[in-house]
Amino acid sequence: MGSGLTTRTYTPMSWDADSGRIRMLAFAHGDSPGNRWARSLREGDTCQFFGPRRSLDLSGLESPVVLFGDETSFGLAAALRDSPRADGAIHVFEASDVAESRLVLEAIGLGQATLIERIAADAHLAAAEAEVLRPAASGAHFVLTGKASSIQRVSRALKAVGVVSSRVKTKAYWAQGKIGLD
């Protein structure tokens, strides 16, 4: 997609270097370089990829695993599903369009995920926190991805109930008004 800040990273759902095949899911929202690129793709287009690389180190995860994120986290959820470390992971997503998101999650085999509809001023995050905190006492490990401000809020809630930072992995994929994040 070019160089510098026009390059984007995505979490592959699967990666087969031998056959040169990648399976990924891009959430095209807003008007950013990555979203314009994803919307412009057509069947048969040639694209260059490198990776995968570990921008989010998930080593050390132990079951149960809770993944919190948004539509930009669906690809990671699919990749985690196939990881023995995250067997039976719990998925909690905030979403702008719950019906559309449910269809996508069902298509990639994650129909059991909890979806919480975004509400103005992030009022929905109280419900997301409650869902994420349920397994905290059972020693769950947490992966928080997606919108930076949502990650910060859920991370504070986990800390408030005594979840140690070694059980929490975070990666902000985007922030309102910012371009250039992963």
Side-chain angles (χ1 to χ4, degrees):
M1 293 185 345
S3 61
L5 293 179
T6 62
T7 300
R8 293 293 177 263
T9 59
Y10 293 89
T11 302
M13 294 183 348
S14 63
W15 180 275
D16 184 344
D18 293 334
S19 69
R21 297 181 62 115
I22 180 174
R23 185 170 172 236
M24 65 179 230
L25 180 66
F27 177 54
H29 62 100
D31 185 33
S32 67
N35 297 328
R36 287 190 296 274
W37 173 77
R39 284 189 179 112
S40 73
L41 286 177
R42 299 294 176 255
E43 185 174 339
D45 284 355
T46 299
C47 302
Q48 289 187 329
F49 294 94
F50 71 93
R53 64 178 175 85
R54 296 238 180 249
S55 69
L56 177 60
D57 182 7
L58 298 179
S59 63
L61 281 182
E62 296 176 21
S63 289
V65 172
V66 178
L67 171 65
F68 168 75
D70 60 17
E71 300 93 340
T72 64
S73 307
F74 292 176
L76 174 61
L80 271 176
R81 178 194 56 227
D82 299 330
S83 167
R85 277 191 200 106
D87 188 37
I90 298 165
H91 304 99
V92 179
F93 300 110
E94 59 178 321
S96 296
D97 185 329
V98 169
E100 180 182 57
S101 293
R102 176 68 56 209
L103 290 172
V104 171
L105 290 168
E106 287 175 2
I108 62 172
L110 295 169
Q112 78 289 357
T114 299
L115 286 166
I116 298 169
E117 186 170 4
R118 279 193 182 93
I119 301 173
D122 287 339
H124 64 284
L125 288 177
E129 286 174 1
E131 288 294 324
V132 170
L133 291 175
R134 283 189 218 292
S138 67
H141 283 236
F142 299 87
V143 179
L144 312 178
T145 62
K147 184 179 174 189
S149 60
S150 298
I151 292 168
Q152 291 167 345
R153 180 162 166 181
V154 172
S155 184
R156 283 191 302 269
L158 289 168
K159 187 176 181 178
V161 298
V163 175
V164 294
S165 62
S166 62
R167 288 177 30 208
V168 181
K169 308 279 186 172
T170 63
K171 181 66 175 182
Y173 294 150
W174 67 282
Q176 196 68 41
K178 303 281 185 184
I179 59 171
L181 295 179
D182 275 350

